[in-house]
Each structure stands twice: as C-alpha cells, then as structure tokens.
C-alpha cells in the first residue's frame, strides 16, 4: 500500500458459512471461509457491501484504513464527506462512512475512506478498494496461501484462552509519525530474529531496512526491482539470503530472495528503526498464516 495513503489516513483510522476448522490449530472455529485469487501478487476477494452485488477488494494488513475507489463509491451511491486533519479538509480523500461488508454470510461493519486511483501511484489497482487489518478487531484472520482461502472468526469473547501460537503481534507505529501497523515476530533471516511488518500489499518476500543491516550481518546489494504498489512505486534491491523463516520453521527453500532498500527517485519509507523488516505474500507461498487480533498472537505453519 502506498505509504502516502497510510500516513494521510492516520487520523481517520484512529479508530454464517459452514463452520470450518483452522488448518493450523483444530481448536479454532471460523464463521466465514472466503476464496481469494492472486491479483498482481496481492490478495483479492469478493465481498458484498450493504446488501449489494459483490465487489472486488484487496486485503491490506499494512494499513489502518480501508479504502474504496471514487468510481466504485459513486456507483453504490455513497454520500462522502471531507476528511479533516487539523480542522482542514485532507486533499484527495473523503470519508465514505460506515458500511456493512459481507464475507460469506458474516457481516463486518467497516469504515471506508474514498480516494481516486492516483493515490495508489501510477499502477492500476486491480480491485475496487482495500480492506485494512482494523476490520478484524477481536477476530482471528487466517490466510491459507496454498489453498487460496481466507478464514475469519466471529469476535473472540473476553477471557477466551488463545490457541497456542509460536509468535506475537504488536501494533507499532510506522516511524515516529506514522500510524500503528501490524508487526509480527519472530521472523528470521539467516537465523537472526527480526520483527517484521506483515503487509499483504507488499509483493516481495522480505525487505530488510537500512538500520537493521549491521545487527543482522547483512550487506546491501542486488539487482534493482520496481514494486508498483509500495510507497506509490519504489525500487528495491533483489538479493538472496541463506534462509528465511518464522520461529524454528524455514518458510522457503535454499537461497530465497530477500530485498534491500533501493535508491530510486521515490525513496522507500523506513520505520525509524522501530522494527527491522517488512514481509509480503511470497514469503508465505507454502504456509498458513494465523493472526489473532484479540490475543495478539501470530502463527505461520506449513499448509496441511
């Protein structure tokens, strides 16, 4: 997701199908199971909105605000109002209000911002909008990458004992002035543990930020590659690592691709040393990722 959107919407974000069992932990039940498809490396799925026909949305765990493109909002008859920041309208964004999004037969109340396609950078967003992680407050979200399924629980009751997970989730600000985003641990690069933002709009395996290189004994090198939907289009350096993993589990084969911050004309925003990396969909190609936004736990396991 473009960090211009992420930073601009920080103020706005201040925020049944047949029950299926979690592939990672048989004690977890899910209220909705939704198929998804790969859209330019991102996760796209169908969801009804306010009882209308299905719309295509992209899952965005790297943003606090769900987005609807202006054209889609107009076609649904939304009455948008200005987004205010410091008492002044925020250029390019409108408050689309709260709407009922239906996943399978499970309703979610979601607050949407409305913006034009230019806010995502020069590339065409292959969806009509995005759904942010904040829509899953107090729920468990599971992404089954090999089977292309999203599983969403009902809200988890207070006092419920969390299923065993190997890792944790935290909401850490993206830089000293950015909004809180989802950071998981313990990911690993060449055996070194890292805290990493989990961003389903990022189409690389792992990008390691400059401030973390020395402590991880890594050296910036590689071939430039353009990532169209990160920071509105940025260059990263494609290199290789010995291994990438989560806890004691190797997630990809030998010598997986890893990325470093490039030097293109549009710089990558970096998190001021508050965490070491960002991980994206390709890292989880063979895995089931379970994020419990009630207990704030994380598990990444090979798909069963």
């Amino acid at each position: 997701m473009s960090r211009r959107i992420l930073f601009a919407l920080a103020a706005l974000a201040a925020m049944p199908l047949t029950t299926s069992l979690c592939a990672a932990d048989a004690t977890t039940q899910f209220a909705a199971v939704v198929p998804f498809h790969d859209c330019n490396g991102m996760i796209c799925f169908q969801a009804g909105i306010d009882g209308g026909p299905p719309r295509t949305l992209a899952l965005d765990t790297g943003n606090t605000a769900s987005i609807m493109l202006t054209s889609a909002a107009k076609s649904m008859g939304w009455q948008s109002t200005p987004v205010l920041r410091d008492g002044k309208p925020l250029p390019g964004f409108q408050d689309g209000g709260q709407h009922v999004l239906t996943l399978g037969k499970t309703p979610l109340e979601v607050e949407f911002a409305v913006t034009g396609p230019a806010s995502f950078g020069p590339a065409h967003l292959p969806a009509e909008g995005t759904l942010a992680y904040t829509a899953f407050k107090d729920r468990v979200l599971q992404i089954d990458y090999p089977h292309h399924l999203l599983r969403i629980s009902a809200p988890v009751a207070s006092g419920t004992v969390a299923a065993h997970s190997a890792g944790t989730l935290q909401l850490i600000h993206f830089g000293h002035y950015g909004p809180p985003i989802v950071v998981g641990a313990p990911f690993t690069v060449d055996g070194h543990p890292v805290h990493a933002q989990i961003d389903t709009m990022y189409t690389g395996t792992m990008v390691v930020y400059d401030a973390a290189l020395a402590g991880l004994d890594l050296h910036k090198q590689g071939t430039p590659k353009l990532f169209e939907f990160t920071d509105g289009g940025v260059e990263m350096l494609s290199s290789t690592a010995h291994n990438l993993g989560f806890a004691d589990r190797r997630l990809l084969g030998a010598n997986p691709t890893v990325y470093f911050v490039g030097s293109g004309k549009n710089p990558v925003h970096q998190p001021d040393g508050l965490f070491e990396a960002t991980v994206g969909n390709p890292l989880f190609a063979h895995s089931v990722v379970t994020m419990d936004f009630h207990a704030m736990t994380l598990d990444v396991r090979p798909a069963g």
Side-chain angles (χ1 to χ4, degrees), residues 14-150:
M15 335 202 267
L17 283 177
T18 301
T19 298
S20 174
L21 294 183
C22 162
D25 191 311
T27 65
T28 304
Q29 293 185 328
F30 292 95
V33 181
V34 180
F36 69 83
H37 64 276
D38 182 298
C39 53
N40 293 354
M42 295 174 288
I43 294 172
C44 287
F45 60 95
Q46 297 278 295
I49 298 179
D50 297 333
R55 299 281 176 168
T56 300
L57 299 178
L59 180 65
D60 188 0
T61 60
N63 204 352
T64 57
S66 298
I67 307 291
M68 190 64 66
L69 291 179
T70 303
S71 57
K74 286 183 177 179
S75 72
M76 291 185 286
W78 290 9
Q79 301 298 314
S80 302
T81 58
V83 173
L84 300 179
R85 185 172 63 183
D86 298 328
K88 298 179 180 179
L90 188 65
F93 293 91
Q94 293 280 308
D95 184 348
Q98 190 173 78
H99 298 271
V100 177
L101 184 147
T102 305
L103 296 174
K105 294 183 180 179
T106 299
L108 296 176
E109 292 187 353
V110 180
E111 189 83 21
F112 280 95
V114 176
T115 189
S119 295
F120 289 88
H124 173 71
L125 181 71
E128 296 170 277
T130 63
L131 184 65
Y133 78 85
T134 47
F136 305 104
K137 177 178 170 58
D138 286 328
R139 297 176 186 261
V140 178
L141 169 65
Q142 185 178 85
I143 310 173
D144 186 334
Y145 281 88
H147 300 103
H148 284 202
L149 293 173
L150 299 175

Side-chain angles (χ1 to χ4, degrees), residues 13 50 70 98 147 165 169 171 203 207 216 247 292 303-304:
D50 297 333
T70 303
Q98 190 173 78
H147 300 103
S165 294
L169 292 176
L171 298 183
T203 57
V207 55
L216 298 173
D292 186 333

Side-chain angles (χ1 to χ4, degrees), residues 261-284:
V261 173
S263 57
K265 61 181 180 180
N266 186 24
V268 174
H269 286 107
Q270 302 198 55
D272 298 333
L274 300 180
F275 50 90
E276 295 82 29
T278 289
V279 293
N281 297 320
L283 181 65
F284 307 120

Side-chain angles (χ1 to χ4, degrees), residues 142-221:
Q142 185 178 85
I143 310 173
D144 186 334
Y145 281 88
H147 300 103
H148 284 202
L149 293 173
L150 299 175
R151 302 184 181 99
I152 301 97
S153 80
V156 179
S158 297
T160 300
V161 177
H164 172 73
S165 294
T168 60
L169 292 176
Q170 294 177 275
L171 298 183
I172 297 179
H173 290 267
F174 195 102
H176 295 301
Y177 303 103
I181 46 85
V182 179
V183 175
F187 290 98
T188 62
V189 53
D190 293 349
H192 298 287
V194 297
H195 291 77
Q197 177 194 15
I198 303 169
D199 187 353
T200 53
M201 296 288 277
Y202 174 49
T203 57
T205 52
M206 175 188 291
V207 55
V208 180
Y209 294 111
D210 290 348
L213 294 177
L216 298 173
D217 196 26
L218 294 173
H219 304 282
K220 183 187 292 191
Q221 59 185 340

